[in-house]
Amino acid sequence: MDNELSSLTAIFTEFYYWVTIPLMFLIHVGFCMYEVGVSRRKNHMHTLMKNTMLVPLVTITFFFFGWWIYWAFPNGPWINGGILWGDGAANTPWANTMGPHLGDRITGVFWAAFLLFSWTAASIVSGAVIERITNAAFWMLAVAIGSVFWIIDAAWGWHYAGWMVVKLGYHDAYASGVIHAIAGGFALGVLAVLGARIGRFRKDGTARNINPRNPWLVTVGLFLIYTGFWGFYVACNVPIIDMGAEVGDATPFFTATNIYLGPTTLSGITFNFLMSLSGGLLAGYCISKGDAFWTYSSGLAGVITASAGNDLYHPIQAMLIGMVGVVIAYKMHYWVERRFKIDDAVGAVAVHGYAGFVGLVICGFVLWGYPSSPYEGYAAINPLGQFIGAIIMFFVLGFVPGYVLSKILNGMGLLRIPPEVEVLGLDTLTIEEYEQDEKEMAEAEQEAAKSI
Amino acid sequence: MSTGIEAWKNLSEIGPIYPFVGTEVVLVVIAVVIWLVWHAAQISAEKVHHEEVQEEFKKRN
């Protein structure tokens, strides 16, 4: 920090990541509004607190071990090499750069940007399982997806030296797979064990609708998630590096890059975010016949589908890809519901899981042959590598851990609330206490009014 | 007496600026224990809440 220009770059980069964090906070405000709006009145406050408390739990566990996993596990380990002890050492919870340090202007903000992605992975699961999962089980599952499994997938497929990038040419610039497919797959694994809400399916197997208590709150919540998603996109980039020096060119070339250190521009991803959002909204409005919940959800699904390649797509390609993802996700949601009696309260598996999976596969075709990395010796982007990557994200690191952990929790009697509690409602006794308090206050005021 | 920094001089030679540098491992152990105890206490409290609601359900049905 003894040279003004390099100090400016260091502090600009620090500020760049910092700004994404309050923006991404809005994703969680949105998730809270959305889940409360979808739940029934008898469960509102428990639903809110279930989503809220993943914030401190994922935060502290990401500090304890999640961040170390990202730096230590790019090779698997034991797929393309061993544990990267050296890289991991600076990111252990006792490293002195994991705190205020005058020689380090990046660790805190970079850790926090990844942390907000961790919260998102857990929040995605949160919505699907409302009204019947115990807080205890959900919070343990949140730590698992938020501080273990997604960050393993990030070390593998969202790190410039991740083995999936090196060997498969895996490309997932804005996390179609590393956040959305894995969280959707994990949610599906949990749902398969958790079971449907009482009364959700008739005896003939058809589903009853449990409609949102407050559809207005749900849609404004989704709109806030869109707003926070801007921060997510910006945080997925590296703001400025000299790519010329990275690739051994004679001339410098300063540019923004994606997480793999391949070139992109903030301007380009701005086009693509907006066009894929628009494609999703347009397709969602049509396929759902104007249903507000599905239209707003489809905007998100459109962005998620195009995210894998939104660093490079043409904006109209992004729009069309968004539309395709939405149609597939919507159809799959209802097919899986009918066929397997899966009660996904908010369509999280579809919007995140199926849309993310499809987005990875499409990227393999549309960006076929592109370098996955500026470094030598990496596989190029290709359809097979993307498909294998999608399977790893959705099933291997998503569905299977969600299913197995839920089975363990279920075996311990910890997964689901008792049926009496589900029918009466998680908040019912509290609501009745509040009503009793109001009645008592009203009587006290009436009594006081007599002597005024 | 200082728990860490004594003067803001030779800044390029100063690394961590929090107090009690060297106690990081102890802090981590304390925090991990708190985290695990929190989960245990929460599981217990939630079980009590469920039993209360089940009792009430039986009275009403």
mmCIF file with all atom_site columns, all heavy atoms in Angstrom, chain A residues 378-389:
data_model
loop_
_atom_site.group_PDB
_atom_site.id
_atom_site.type_symbol
_atom_site.label_atom_id
_atom_site.label_alt_id
_atom_site.label_comp_id
_atom_site.label_asym_id
_atom_site.label_entity_id
_atom_site.label_seq_id
_atom_site.pdbx_PDB_ins_code
_atom_site.Cartn_x
_atom_site.Cartn_y
_atom_site.Cartn_z
_atom_site.occupancy
_atom_site.B_iso_or_equiv
_atom_site.pdbx_formal_charge
_atom_site.auth_seq_id
_atom_site.auth_comp_id
_atom_site.auth_asym_id
_atom_site.auth_atom_id
_atom_site.pdbx_PDB_model_num
ATOM 1  N N   . TYR A 1 378 ? -6.340  -27.112 -20.098 1.00 0.00 ? 378 TYR A N   1
ATOM 2  C CA  . TYR A 1 378 ? -7.713  -27.291 -19.620 1.00 0.00 ? 378 TYR A CA  1
ATOM 3  C C   . TYR A 1 378 ? -8.582  -27.811 -20.756 1.00 0.00 ? 378 TYR A C   1
ATOM 4  O O   . TYR A 1 378 ? -8.404  -27.419 -21.910 1.00 0.00 ? 378 TYR A O   1
ATOM 5  C CB  . TYR A 1 378 ? -8.295  -25.960 -19.158 1.00 0.00 ? 378 TYR A CB  1
ATOM 6  C CG  . TYR A 1 378 ? -7.841  -25.508 -17.785 1.00 0.00 ? 378 TYR A CG  1
ATOM 7  C CD1 . TYR A 1 378 ? -6.493  -25.266 -17.525 1.00 0.00 ? 378 TYR A CD1 1
ATOM 8  C CD2 . TYR A 1 378 ? -8.759  -25.289 -16.765 1.00 0.00 ? 378 TYR A CD2 1
ATOM 9  C CE1 . TYR A 1 378 ? -6.079  -24.837 -16.273 1.00 0.00 ? 378 TYR A CE1 1
ATOM 10 C CE2 . TYR A 1 378 ? -8.353  -24.848 -15.511 1.00 0.00 ? 378 TYR A CE2 1
ATOM 11 C CZ  . TYR A 1 378 ? -7.006  -24.624 -15.267 1.00 0.00 ? 378 TYR A CZ  1
ATOM 12 O OH  . TYR A 1 378 ? -6.599  -24.188 -14.022 1.00 0.00 ? 378 TYR A OH  1
ATOM 13 N N   . ALA A 1 379 ? -9.554  -28.668 -20.428 1.00 0.00 ? 379 ALA A N   1
ATOM 14 C CA  . ALA A 1 379 ? -10.510 -29.103 -21.443 1.00 0.00 ? 379 ALA A CA  1
ATOM 15 C C   . ALA A 1 379 ? -11.321 -27.900 -21.907 1.00 0.00 ? 379 ALA A C   1
ATOM 16 O O   . ALA A 1 379 ? -11.570 -26.973 -21.144 1.00 0.00 ? 379 ALA A O   1
ATOM 17 C CB  . ALA A 1 379 ? -11.450 -30.149 -20.856 1.00 0.00 ? 379 ALA A CB  1
ATOM 18 N N   . ALA A 1 380 ? -11.732 -27.928 -23.170 1.00 0.00 ? 380 ALA A N   1
ATOM 19 C CA  . ALA A 1 380 ? -12.617 -26.875 -23.681 1.00 0.00 ? 380 ALA A CA  1
ATOM 20 C C   . ALA A 1 380 ? -14.040 -27.156 -23.211 1.00 0.00 ? 380 ALA A C   1
ATOM 21 O O   . ALA A 1 380 ? -14.375 -28.289 -22.845 1.00 0.00 ? 380 ALA A O   1
ATOM 22 C CB  . ALA A 1 380 ? -12.561 -26.846 -25.195 1.00 0.00 ? 380 ALA A CB  1
ATOM 23 N N   . ILE A 1 381 ? -14.880 -26.134 -23.244 1.00 0.00 ? 381 ILE A N   1
ATOM 24 C CA  . ILE A 1 381 ? -16.294 -26.313 -22.898 1.00 0.00 ? 381 ILE A CA  1
ATOM 25 C C   . ILE A 1 381 ? -16.908 -27.274 -23.914 1.00 0.00 ? 381 ILE A C   1
ATOM 26 O O   . ILE A 1 381 ? -16.650 -27.160 -25.121 1.00 0.00 ? 381 ILE A O   1
ATOM 27 C CB  . ILE A 1 381 ? -17.043 -24.957 -22.921 1.00 0.00 ? 381 ILE A CB  1
ATOM 28 C CG1 . ILE A 1 381 ? -16.399 -23.995 -21.916 1.00 0.00 ? 381 ILE A CG1 1
ATOM 29 C CG2 . ILE A 1 381 ? -18.529 -25.161 -22.602 1.00 0.00 ? 381 ILE A CG2 1
ATOM 30 C CD1 . ILE A 1 381 ? -16.942 -22.569 -21.984 1.00 0.00 ? 381 ILE A CD1 1
ATOM 31 N N   . ASN A 1 382 ? -17.695 -28.240 -23.440 1.00 0.00 ? 382 ASN A N   1
ATOM 32 C CA  . ASN A 1 382 ? -18.270 -29.229 -24.347 1.00 0.00 ? 382 ASN A CA  1
ATOM 33 C C   . ASN A 1 382 ? -19.540 -29.800 -23.737 1.00 0.00 ? 382 ASN A C   1
ATOM 34 O O   . ASN A 1 382 ? -19.717 -29.766 -22.519 1.00 0.00 ? 382 ASN A O   1
ATOM 35 C CB  . ASN A 1 382 ? -17.242 -30.350 -24.615 1.00 0.00 ? 382 ASN A CB  1
ATOM 36 C CG  . ASN A 1 382 ? -16.950 -31.161 -23.368 1.00 0.00 ? 382 ASN A CG  1
ATOM 37 O OD1 . ASN A 1 382 ? -17.585 -32.182 -23.116 1.00 0.00 ? 382 ASN A OD1 1
ATOM 38 N ND2 . ASN A 1 382 ? -15.996 -30.721 -22.546 1.00 0.00 ? 382 ASN A ND2 1
ATOM 39 N N   . PRO A 1 383 ? -20.444 -30.353 -24.579 1.00 0.00 ? 383 PRO A N   1
ATOM 40 C CA  . PRO A 1 383 ? -21.743 -30.829 -24.072 1.00 0.00 ? 383 PRO A CA  1
ATOM 41 C C   . PRO A 1 383 ? -21.615 -31.961 -23.053 1.00 0.00 ? 383 PRO A C   1
ATOM 42 O O   . PRO A 1 383 ? -22.342 -31.984 -22.053 1.00 0.00 ? 383 PRO A O   1
ATOM 43 C CB  . PRO A 1 383 ? -22.469 -31.298 -25.332 1.00 0.00 ? 383 PRO A CB  1
ATOM 44 C CG  . PRO A 1 383 ? -21.826 -30.570 -26.444 1.00 0.00 ? 383 PRO A CG  1
ATOM 45 C CD  . PRO A 1 383 ? -20.400 -30.373 -26.053 1.00 0.00 ? 383 PRO A CD  1
ATOM 46 N N   . LEU A 1 384 ? -20.707 -32.900 -23.271 1.00 0.00 ? 384 LEU A N   1
ATOM 47 C CA  . LEU A 1 384 ? -20.590 -34.029 -22.340 1.00 0.00 ? 384 LEU A CA  1
ATOM 48 C C   . LEU A 1 384 ? -20.084 -33.563 -20.976 1.00 0.00 ? 384 LEU A C   1
ATOM 49 O O   . LEU A 1 384 ? -20.611 -33.956 -19.934 1.00 0.00 ? 384 LEU A O   1
ATOM 50 C CB  . LEU A 1 384 ? -19.653 -35.092 -22.932 1.00 0.00 ? 384 LEU A CB  1
ATOM 51 C CG  . LEU A 1 384 ? -19.478 -36.354 -22.074 1.00 0.00 ? 384 LEU A CG  1
ATOM 52 C CD1 . LEU A 1 384 ? -20.818 -37.069 -21.889 1.00 0.00 ? 384 LEU A CD1 1
ATOM 53 C CD2 . LEU A 1 384 ? -18.457 -37.308 -22.710 1.00 0.00 ? 384 LEU A CD2 1
ATOM 54 N N   . GLY A 1 385 ? -19.080 -32.692 -21.004 1.00 0.00 ? 385 GLY A N   1
ATOM 55 C CA  . GLY A 1 385 ? -18.546 -32.169 -19.744 1.00 0.00 ? 385 GLY A CA  1
ATOM 56 C C   . GLY A 1 385 ? -19.604 -31.412 -18.955 1.00 0.00 ? 385 GLY A C   1
ATOM 57 O O   . GLY A 1 385 ? -19.696 -31.549 -17.732 1.00 0.00 ? 385 GLY A O   1
ATOM 58 N N   . GLN A 1 386 ? -20.413 -30.619 -19.655 1.00 0.00 ? 386 GLN A N   1
ATOM 59 C CA  . GLN A 1 386 ? -21.474 -29.874 -18.980 1.00 0.00 ? 386 GLN A CA  1
ATOM 60 C C   . GLN A 1 386 ? -22.531 -30.818 -18.424 1.00 0.00 ? 386 GLN A C   1
ATOM 61 O O   . GLN A 1 386 ? -23.053 -30.603 -17.321 1.00 0.00 ? 386 GLN A O   1
ATOM 62 C CB  . GLN A 1 386 ? -22.139 -28.879 -19.944 1.00 0.00 ? 386 GLN A CB  1
ATOM 63 C CG  . GLN A 1 386 ? -21.281 -27.705 -20.343 1.00 0.00 ? 386 GLN A CG  1
ATOM 64 C CD  . GLN A 1 386 ? -20.890 -26.820 -19.172 1.00 0.00 ? 386 GLN A CD  1
ATOM 65 O OE1 . GLN A 1 386 ? -19.736 -26.857 -18.718 1.00 0.00 ? 386 GLN A OE1 1
ATOM 66 N NE2 . GLN A 1 386 ? -21.821 -26.035 -18.675 1.00 0.00 ? 386 GLN A NE2 1
ATOM 67 N N   . PHE A 1 387 ? -22.867 -31.880 -19.189 1.00 0.00 ? 387 PHE A N   1
ATOM 68 C CA  . PHE A 1 387 ? -23.888 -32.827 -18.733 1.00 0.00 ? 387 PHE A CA  1
ATOM 69 C C   . PHE A 1 387 ? -23.397 -33.572 -17.491 1.00 0.00 ? 387 PHE A C   1
ATOM 70 O O   . PHE A 1 387 ? -24.120 -33.711 -16.504 1.00 0.00 ? 387 PHE A O   1
ATOM 71 C CB  . PHE A 1 387 ? -24.245 -33.802 -19.846 1.00 0.00 ? 387 PHE A CB  1
ATOM 72 C CG  . PHE A 1 387 ? -25.319 -34.779 -19.444 1.00 0.00 ? 387 PHE A CG  1
ATOM 73 C CD1 . PHE A 1 387 ? -26.632 -34.365 -19.280 1.00 0.00 ? 387 PHE A CD1 1
ATOM 74 C CD2 . PHE A 1 387 ? -25.009 -36.105 -19.207 1.00 0.00 ? 387 PHE A CD2 1
ATOM 75 C CE1 . PHE A 1 387 ? -27.625 -35.258 -18.877 1.00 0.00 ? 387 PHE A CE1 1
ATOM 76 C CE2 . PHE A 1 387 ? -26.001 -37.004 -18.810 1.00 0.00 ? 387 PHE A CE2 1
ATOM 77 C CZ  . PHE A 1 387 ? -27.301 -36.577 -18.646 1.00 0.00 ? 387 PHE A CZ  1
ATOM 78 N N   . ILE A 1 388 ? -22.145 -34.028 -17.535 1.00 0.00 ? 388 ILE A N   1
ATOM 79 C CA  . ILE A 1 388 ? -21.578 -34.708 -16.359 1.00 0.00 ? 388 ILE A CA  1
ATOM 80 C C   . ILE A 1 388 ? -21.555 -33.730 -15.173 1.00 0.00 ? 388 ILE A C   1
ATOM 81 O O   . ILE A 1 388 ? -21.880 -34.085 -14.045 1.00 0.00 ? 388 ILE A O   1
ATOM 82 C CB  . ILE A 1 388 ? -20.160 -35.238 -16.657 1.00 0.00 ? 388 ILE A CB  1
ATOM 83 C CG1 . ILE A 1 388 ? -20.232 -36.351 -17.709 1.00 0.00 ? 388 ILE A CG1 1
ATOM 84 C CG2 . ILE A 1 388 ? -19.491 -35.753 -15.382 1.00 0.00 ? 388 ILE A CG2 1
ATOM 85 C CD1 . ILE A 1 388 ? -18.875 -36.793 -18.232 1.00 0.00 ? 388 ILE A CD1 1
ATOM 86 N N   . GLY A 1 389 ? -21.204 -32.489 -15.452 1.00 0.00 ? 389 GLY A N   1
ATOM 87 C CA  . GLY A 1 389 ? -21.206 -31.468 -14.399 1.00 0.00 ? 389 GLY A CA  1
ATOM 88 C C   . GLY A 1 389 ? -22.579 -31.280 -13.792 1.00 0.00 ? 389 GLY A C   1
ATOM 89 O O   . GLY A 1 389 ? -22.727 -31.167 -12.572 1.00 0.00 ? 389 GLY A O   1
#
